[in-house]
Amino acid sequence: MPTIQDVAKRAGVAPITVSRVINNSGYFSEETRERVEAAIAELGYVPNRLARGLRIKQTNTLALVLTDITNPFFTTLARGVEDAAGEAGFTVTFCNTDESEAKEQKYLEVFLQQQVDGILLVPAGSSPDSVHTAQKNGTPVVVIDRRVPDVSTDSVRCDSEAGAYKLVRLLQDLGHRRIAMLGGPEGISTADDRLAGYRRAMAEIGQTGNGDLVQSGSFTMSSGYEMVKTAVAKTPRPTAIFAANNFLAIGALRGLQDCGLRVPEDVALVGFDDLPPALTTFPFLTVAAQPAYDLAQIATKLLLARLAGEAPETCQEIILQTELIIRQSSGGSLIRNGGCDRSLE
Ligand code: RIB
């Protein structure tokens, strides 16, 4: 009985390409289509729908797709994945997409050709294509950190909307009303959800039209630097800044310093994601901390259970909560508990 590998060999392509031609999905040239179809006819290959649902072979390898490997949040995520995978006898191969959906799709095809057993994906945007490509190949995917619409797959992330809401409510409890937001790229779910949390908190104090206080940029320090300078140039000047991730907060801090503004004396500053203690000799930022390591462990163990046929039948959506850690950057009176500063919940 000819196999997909026989067809691939006869046509001179990778098995994943044969799968794409059969499913008419993903990229391949007309010439490739003709070669594959000729090989199928010559060999009398009959695609087995059940077999297509099975992986071509077990390689004990997981793929991890990250968007910014320079970000400590993602390196902590990678650490959690590698620890959980290693305990189960799996190796991890990873890539960095720089928030590019084109790079993401390219890497997905490479990983499928390498026949990884499962994929942990931080999506670069909101396209379902990568998840669909993997699933058509019979490779399970767990989406981590972010949401992707129109897919049925396991996912593990933090509640960005609630985390943002808690941070902005804290600023309001400290007396701030003109609170500027430095947001991430529209269309990325963590950016959209943090903006939604900000808007919910601002609506509770009767502020709905905060157009002049909200900016969207990229999850980078340079974007935080530029956006905060724009924010504090407005009159009346905002008295507080909410940065939608760690790099935006660091960039904002540098921008405020270059504008001659002190934190928190002149402007309060809060952000998403804590920075690893090893990187901060003096933890200063008030943050909504995401449990990146735990998130990674949960997602990896879910993927391994899916591979072993031990996961629940239905797709799992696991949402973890952030932890509000109050430090000097938000100003106001602090409740100190055990060396770290915590708000009264
Ligand atoms: O700093 C990383 C965090 O911000 C992640 O949640 C990522 O999605 C970005 O939004």
Side-chain angles (χ1 to χ4, degrees):
M1 171 72 78
T3 66
I4 196 168
Q5 285 90 342
D6 298 333
V7 173
K9 192 172 180 182
R10 174 68 66 92
V13 298
I16 179 67
T17 304
V18 176
S19 175
R20 283 211 296 268
V21 169
I22 291 170
N23 294 299
N24 194 28
S25 70
Y27 171 77
F28 54 85
S29 67
E30 197 48 38
E31 190 266 338
T32 296
R33 177 201 295 275
E34 291 170 1
R35 289 214 321 269
V36 169
E37 288 177 346
I40 288 172
E42 291 162 10
L43 294 171
Y45 171 70
V46 177
N48 175 334
R49 303 241 171 255
L50 175 63
R52 262 229 308 287
L54 304 174
R55 287 175 304 287
I56 294 168
K57 71 174 184 176
Q58 184 98 4
T59 57
N60 281 6
T61 306
L62 303 180
L64 172 60
V65 181
L66 298 175
T67 55
D68 182 355
I69 192 60
T70 65
N71 187 323
F73 170 83
F74 291 117
T75 49
T76 304
L77 211 66
R79 178 76 266 174
V81 168
E82 212 281 330
D83 286 351
E87 282 169 16
F90 278 70
T91 57
V92 180
T93 180
F94 101 95
C95 70
N96 183 68
T97 63
D98 293 323
E99 305 284 4
S100 158
E101 291 184 295
K103 280 185 78 174
E104 178 184 294
Q105 186 67 24
K106 183 190 79 175
Y107 275 120
L108 250 288
E109 291 177 11
V110 167
F111 287 144
L112 294 178
Q113 286 170 13
Q114 291 172 348
Q115 298 176 5
V116 298
D117 296 314
I119 297 171
L120 294 140
L121 171 68
V122 177
S126 53
S127 163
D129 291 352
S130 292
V131 174
H132 290 160
T133 301
Q135 290 179 327
K136 282 177 182 159
N137 187 68
T139 304
V141 178
V142 176
V143 173
I144 52 181
D145 176 48
R146 299 172 178 179
R147 286 183 284 110
V148 175
D150 309 325
V151 295
S152 296
T153 194
D154 296 320
S155 65
V156 184
R157 66 178 186 274
C158 287
D159 188 341
S160 282
E161 195 275 353
Y165 174 80
K166 285 190 289 189
L167 279 170
V168 178
R169 288 295 295 161
L170 168 70
L171 292 171
Q172 292 168 351
D173 292 346
L174 291 169
H176 296 285
R177 290 298 175 269
R178 268 190 65 78
I179 303 170
M181 175 164 184
L182 313 183
E186 291 177 28
I188 288 184
S189 67
T190 45
D192 296 342
D193 292 350
R194 289 166 199 170
L195 177 57
Y198 166 88
R199 290 203 188 286
R200 177 161 65 102
M202 296 304 279
E204 289 183 0
I205 59 170
Q207 292 196 29
T208 49
N210 304 95
D212 71 318
L213 289 173
V214 176
Q215 296 176 75
S216 294
S218 57
F219 283 127
T220 61
M221 294 183 203
S222 57
S223 185
Y225 183 88
E226 294 305 327
M227 286 199 285
V228 83
K229 290 201 296 181
T230 301
V232 297
K234 296 187 186 299
T235 50
R237 190 179 74 205
T239 60
I241 305 283
F242 163 41
N245 92 323
N246 48 13
F247 279 179
L248 286 168
I250 292 167
L253 200 54
R254 291 174 179 162
L256 292 168
Q257 286 165 348
D258 286 0
C259 293
L261 294 170
R262 299 164 302 165
V263 177
E265 294 81 357
D266 300 321
V267 181
L269 173 65
V270 299
F272 233 87
D273 305 317
D274 204 4
L275 293 169
L279 297 181
T280 48
T281 50
F282 172 54
F284 172 72
L285 270 178
T286 290
V287 296
Q290 298 190 86
Y293 188 86
D294 293 346
L295 188 155
Q297 289 263 307
I298 292 166
T300 306
K301 289 172 182 173
L302 174 55
L303 180 56
L304 292 170
R306 185 67 65 197
L307 286 170
E310 294 161 1
E313 189 70 30
T314 55
C315 290
Q316 301 297 293
E317 182 181 38
I318 299 172
I319 300 175
L320 307 178
Q321 292 306 313
T322 59
E323 178 188 5
L324 184 59
I325 303 176
I326 302 177
R327 300 191 180 104
Q328 287 78 350
S329 72
S330 47
S333 60
L334 299 175
I335 314 291
R336 292 184 179 279
N337 170 19
C340 278
D341 306 316
R342 295 284 188 280
S343 68
L344 282 176
E345 287 300 325

